[in-house]
Amino acid sequence: YLHWPDRYVPTFGATEYKRKDERPGSISFEEQVRTIGECIASGKIKNWALSNESTFGVCNFAHMCQQLNVPKPVAIQNDFSLINRRFESELAEACSPANYDIGLCPYGMLA
C-alpha cells in the first residue's frame, strides 16, 4: 500500500478541503507510479494498492498508470463503517469495475 497521500488530503472525518493546508513539494503522481512500475518490473512486488486516498488521487494514479504503462492499483484501503459511508459516493464510482476496477479493503468496519 501507498499508505498516505504525500500531498494534503482531508482525513479523519474532515469533509472540507482547505487550500491553506496544501503542502508544496509533494512527490508527484508520476514519480510515485514510475517507482511502483520499477518495483513491479524488478519482481520486488506483484501488485500494489492505495490507502486513505481521495477520488482525486485514485483518478490521477489510474491516469498516470495508463500513461506510463504501469499496472493500476488493485485495491484501496479506506475507512468504511456503519457511521463512515463516504466511500459510497464518488470514490465508489471511480473504483467501480465499470471504471478503474479497484477493490475496497475497508478498515474501521466496527467503528
Side-chain angles (χ1 to χ4, degrees):
Y1 284 101
L2 293 183
H3 192 260
W4 286 104
D6 186 54
R7 67 194 190 287
Y8 160 70
V9 175
T11 55
F12 297 114
T15 57
E16 182 180 322
Y17 186 86
K18 297 178 182 175
R19 289 188 64 200
K20 68 177 182 63
D21 292 335
E22 290 178 350
R23 294 189 294 258
S26 295
I27 299 170
S28 70
F29 289 100
E30 180 178 2
E31 184 177 347
Q32 292 177 76
V33 170
R34 191 176 305 281
T35 301
I36 291 288
E38 291 169 3
C39 290
I40 292 170
S42 69
K44 292 179 181 174
I45 61 173
K46 292 182 182 181
N47 295 296
W48 66 290
L50 300 168
S51 183
N52 302 303
E53 193 51 86
S54 67
T55 304
F56 172 79
V58 167
C59 293
N60 275 282
F61 275 114
H63 287 215
M64 192 54 60
C65 286
Q66 187 176 28
Q67 281 186 337
L68 299 176
N69 198 30
V70 171
K72 65 181 174 31
V74 297
I76 182 168
Q77 181 185 39
N78 276 29
D79 197 16
F80 184 74
S81 68
L82 291 172
I83 58 173
N84 184 337
R85 313 295 291 192
R86 289 189 305 162
F87 178 83
E88 292 178 317
S89 61
E90 353 171 305
L91 193 50
E93 178 185 13
C95 294
S96 166
N99 295 310
Y100 297 123
D101 193 21
I102 299 172
L104 172 65
C105 295
Y107 75 83
M109 297 180 340
L110 299 177

